[in-house]
Amino acid sequence: EVLKKFSELRNRSYTEREQLFIFFSSHGSYIKENDEGYFIPSDGVIDPNFPDSWLSFRYLKSLIGSIPCNHILVGVDTGYGGAFGDEGSK
């Protein structure tokens, strides 16, 4: 569902002054070995042995960057959410 919504947002036309607010609220995790934070979707497995069902902060930031809107505000309510804004996790 999350990826489908990003596809819709990416394919939409935005005016120069239009604004977009994206809010994430979910369980989160952080894997120190690869310095990466993750959102765990409602259908994801909350187990560090199964990160394939998680969405990495790095990947989600790249999806946000592909949306052709000039003004995007992102709100994050998740465990390890502080790592979402970390410049080391681009």
Side-chain angles (χ1 to χ4, degrees):
E1 291 296 315
V2 172
L3 298 179
K4 180 180 176 183
K5 180 51 77 176
F6 270 109
S7 179
E8 291 172 14
L9 293 172
R10 189 174 48 251
N11 292 315
R12 193 177 149 213
S13 294
Y14 298 87
T15 66
E16 180 71 27
R17 296 173 47 95
E18 199 164 0
Q19 301 173 15
L20 177 63
F21 176 61
I22 299 172
F23 182 73
F24 291 102
S25 181
S26 72
H27 289 288
S29 189
Y30 180 80
I31 297 179
K32 186 176 182 175
E33 292 76 23
N34 66 350
D35 187 30
E36 181 64 84
Y38 297 85
F39 288 106
I40 303 175
S42 60
D43 60 349
V45 179
I46 302 176
D47 182 329
N49 295 312
F50 297 97
D52 291 346
S53 66
W54 304 352
L55 297 170
S56 78
F57 293 173
R58 192 172 292 136
Y59 178 60
L60 288 172
K61 288 193 294 187
S62 73
L63 290 175
I64 292 167
S66 73
I67 298 170
C69 182
N70 292 329
H71 308 283
I72 301 174
L73 176 64
V74 179
V76 175
D77 177 20
T78 185
Y80 304 97
F84 189 79
D86 180 12
E87 290 304 311
S89 298
K90 280 189 171 179

